[in-house]
Amino acid sequence: MATSSVSKGCFVFKPTSKKRKTLSAEDYFTDGSENPENSRLRFQLFQSQWQDMKEEVQMVHDDLNKKILDSLLEFIGKSVASFQSRAVGWESRMRASEIPTAALVLGVNVPDHDVTFQSLSDLLRESVSPFVASVQAKECGALQHLMKKVMQQLMGGGVALDEDDAEEQSGYQISDLPRKGFNCSLGILCDWYQNLNKKSCIKSPGKKRSSSGSDFPKKPPLVVIFKDLEAFCPQVLQDFIVICSQYIQQLPLVFVFGIATSPSTIQRMLPHSVSSLLCIELFQSLSCTQHLATVIDKLALFEHFFGQPLSVLCCEEEEALAQVRQFSHEDVEKILQLPSIMRYVEKQEPQEQVKLLTSDDHVKVVTQNLLKDLCSYHRNFYPILRCLHLLTSSLPKFPLGKQIRELHVLCLENNVWESEEYESAMQLLRMLAKDELVAALQKCVEVLQPGMTKKLKEVVHQLKDIIAKLKMLDQLSDETISCEGEQESSSGKSLQKTDLFHLQKTLMEMRETRRNKAKTPYEVLRNHTVDYLDSLVKMHLLPPESQPLYEVFYYSSSATVRRHLNATPRTSIQTALSHPHYYLQSEALKSEGGTISKAAPDICIIYKLHLECGRLINLYDWLQAYFTVTAADGQDPDSAEGHVDEMKHARFIRAVSELEFLGFIKSTKQKTDHVARLTWGGCQT
């Protein structure tokens, strides 16, 4: 009787039920903190601020897409109207034989194309047609795959019929849907669409059944969105367009091409015989610099709340004042250690300095007053900043920048009125025509009116007074022009035929006379207006560093944000290979004194061993060092008997291959059993 060896059995090992604990974002704030409650409060404030920023980001994103999405909806609506009208003119017949196509150029820097296409699909299903198909190149490698994907989405679009078919959830049977092995063709789609329109009018699935009238046109269009046009196979796309053009008289098809590079992609992918079947209209997306600014703001926000214990005051004014009253002695010490508070204390009288350095209660009272002053500074700073931007953003060559963020940076860093750009802007403002100056001042009044403080109310009153005076100068300016004309004519009569010396002398006298000539009323008022605006800038646009307690609200470590934004893959890889316990969150992998933990991943062990080598690394010596590190008791028993552990040998080869893939080593022709080292100066512990 034959018996089977037990060694050939299949054994199952159940994984351990213990799960490695992963740290949450809140744990990073509180881990190792001297005051966990303070850290927890800072984390809650950070989450609140982050949520507000996310909502603002979404609003910015919606604004960026709103105009282009509205244009697309209008284009598709016109296409539907032209399909239903079926005019008899030659041009209309030519248009009727073409497929309406929207070429949507989104650009390669748009953060997420899927969000844009999802918004477009939702809007189309709500207001234009329930039949929307969205396809990607990776799902449509062949024509039959593309055809099946389109038919599944169009025929599977949830639609609700009128009250006669109220119990049905769609205008088709499940058996009508394309299945595996089913021969998909547009003829089937055409029959399905015509039968659906004969049965009933189509309504939106999100609307109530009791609503009267239809939500969509009698024959809603069939919209096909190609998300990534460049990635599609040109031949598949050409065949699909040619087939669709044969059914354009029966099916109101509309295409949307998602283009990331350039509109010339269409010409490159489609020959003239195919592109002539399309009626293409170009749609260009807006600039997306706001997204980059938002990412930077988020990084700075996280770093500020994580590294600044006093960021607990980054909340509403009343909440911040209440928080100050609850400060402990340690919190008061942190306030006194702020550089801006140290400068503030140095400027006080000796008696006041003693109180600030000895009485916690007095520090709390002063801190509350400084917080109120800082909030008042903010309420005046940003409206005046927007006014200055309105006045200077339309000047030639944009001396203070075209975007408000450029002017904001100038005001945050230094006294903006001391810069050459500011002086140039003021000179250009002194040359503005009356109409331009009046229009700019009126915009400033509109900016300042919402939520005015006492100081801003005075500013608005002054600006309105200046605008009224400028409007009253029409009659005076006409009289001034006539007087200037008489003076110029009299000056011209004084020029008589003479020699070169007397001519130069006369011209110099005339230039001096014009320089000392009295200015017109408008020039006087314009100079007065610019001087008043200049005084507002010097009063309200002081840099934040001039305000005590500014460190609580402002994050100034640009080097940290720059380190996060600037990609340094080599440094990151070296850090991960040298300190794997940081990335894997395992204290068992932590090593001290430059030693190598045998529990570390193989590639980390190989990397640390290669740091000890020179330009050329002997593979056999490297392998023996690896065996030594990974041995249980410091000596590999297999090696002692003259055998090589095949499993460890394979792990070594794989780790070396991974290190070569990362670019740390390469094979060399100098010695076949050696590899060349490519990097130097490993990550220091």
Side-chain angles (χ1 to χ4, degrees), residues 28-48:
Y28 280 108
F29 268 78
T30 58
D31 188 29
S33 175
E34 297 178 357
N35 190 347
E37 187 62 30
N38 178 280
S39 300
R40 191 173 294 105
L41 180 58
R42 281 188 285 137
F43 178 73
Q44 293 173 358
L45 288 172
F46 162 71
Q47 282 190 316
S48 176

Side-chain angles (χ1 to χ4, degrees), residues 566-579:
N566 292 341
T568 54
R570 176 185 167 186
T571 304
S572 302
I573 293 173
Q574 287 178 323
T575 304
L577 295 177
S578 301
H579 310 288

Side-chain angles (χ1 to χ4, degrees), residues 139-421:
E139 303 170 342
C140 309
L143 179 60
Q144 59 268 30
H145 297 157
L146 174 59
M147 195 75 72
K148 182 177 180 179
K149 196 74 177 177
V150 170
M151 291 184 64
Q152 282 180 337
Q153 295 190 36
L154 292 179
M155 298 173 66
V159 295
L161 305 180
D162 61 2
E163 54 192 18
D164 295 336
D165 296 323
E167 63 277 3
E168 295 183 7
Q169 295 298 319
S170 61
Y172 58 91
Q173 299 295 329
I174 300 300
S175 58
D176 294 337
L177 289 177
R179 289 188 178 86
K180 185 177 181 181
F182 186 82
N183 186 18
C184 299
S185 68
L186 286 187
I188 297 174
L189 179 63
C190 184
D191 295 339
W192 171 83
Y193 183 77
Q194 291 178 356
N195 293 333
L196 184 63
N197 283 281
K198 289 178 181 178
K199 286 182 180 180
S200 59
C201 58
I202 302 171
K203 297 181 180 181
S204 172
K207 304 290 183 179
K208 293 183 179 180
R209 303 287 179 86
S210 59
S211 59
S212 60
S214 60
D215 298 318
F216 298 119
K218 185 177 180 181
K219 292 184 178 181
L222 306 176
V223 184
V224 182
I225 301 175
F226 299 85
K227 290 184 177 181
D228 45 353
L229 184 70
E230 292 91 344
F232 275 86
C233 174
Q235 190 60 47
V236 172
L237 192 62
Q238 294 170 24
D239 294 342
F240 182 76
I241 293 173
V242 171
I243 294 173
C244 289
S245 65
Q246 299 175 5
Y247 292 88
I248 192 59
Q249 300 297 331
Q250 294 83 25
L251 295 174
L253 291 166
V254 178
F255 291 164
V256 177
F257 289 164
I259 302 174
T261 54
S262 171
S264 60
T265 303
I266 299 177
Q267 300 176 354
R268 178 175 54 83
M269 298 183 65
L270 305 178
H272 177 71
S273 58
V274 178
S275 61
S276 61
L277 303 175
L278 305 176
C279 178
I280 302 175
E281 186 168 336
L282 183 64
F283 296 88
Q284 185 77 40
S285 64
L286 302 178
S287 175
C288 296
T289 55
Q290 291 91 337
H291 292 283
L292 178 60
T294 303
V295 172
I296 297 175
D297 290 343
K298 284 187 177 182
L299 285 174
L301 183 71
F302 185 85
E303 289 289 343
H304 179 65
F305 277 95
F306 181 74
Q308 176 56 267
L310 294 176
S311 59
V312 292
L313 301 178
C314 292
C315 52
E316 297 295 334
E317 184 176 353
E318 295 300 327
E319 296 178 10
L321 296 177
Q323 189 68 31
V324 171
R325 290 192 288 268
Q326 300 176 1
F327 269 4
S328 62
H329 176 72
E330 290 76 12
D331 296 328
V332 172
E333 289 295 327
K334 292 175 182 177
I335 290 178
L336 293 176
Q337 292 173 5
L338 294 176
S340 62
I341 296 298
M342 295 173 66
R343 292 194 297 267
Y344 173 80
V345 173
E346 292 174 356
K347 295 178 182 178
Q348 304 305 310
E349 297 295 332
Q351 295 180 352
E352 181 68 15
Q353 291 182 0
V354 173
K355 289 183 179 180
L356 289 171
L357 296 176
T358 57
S359 175
D360 289 354
D361 293 335
H362 186 66
V363 173
K364 294 179 183 179
V365 173
V366 173
T367 302
Q368 293 180 54
N369 294 331
L370 293 177
L371 275 175
K372 293 178 181 178
D373 295 340
L374 192 56
C375 292
S376 177
Y377 163 79
H378 288 150
R379 284 192 288 267
N380 295 324
F381 180 90
Y382 290 102
I384 299 298
L385 176 70
R386 286 192 288 269
C387 286
L388 183 59
H389 172 67
L390 285 173
L391 291 167
T392 60
S393 60
S394 58
L395 295 177
K397 296 184 179 180
F398 312 106
L400 292 179
K402 190 175 181 180
Q403 305 292 336
I404 192 171
R405 56 183 170 81
E406 302 175 61
L407 177 60
H408 193 194
V409 170
L410 291 175
C411 295
L412 291 178
E413 292 178 344
N414 300 298
N415 295 331
V416 66
W417 57 86
E418 296 178 355
S419 63
E420 296 180 359
E421 295 83 0

Side-chain angles (χ1 to χ4, degrees), residues 13-31:
F13 297 91
K14 294 184 179 180
T16 177
S17 59
K18 295 182 179 180
K19 294 184 178 180
R20 186 176 59 196
K21 182 181 179 181
T22 58
L23 296 177
S24 63
E26 184 176 359
D27 295 332
Y28 280 108
F29 268 78
T30 58
D31 188 29

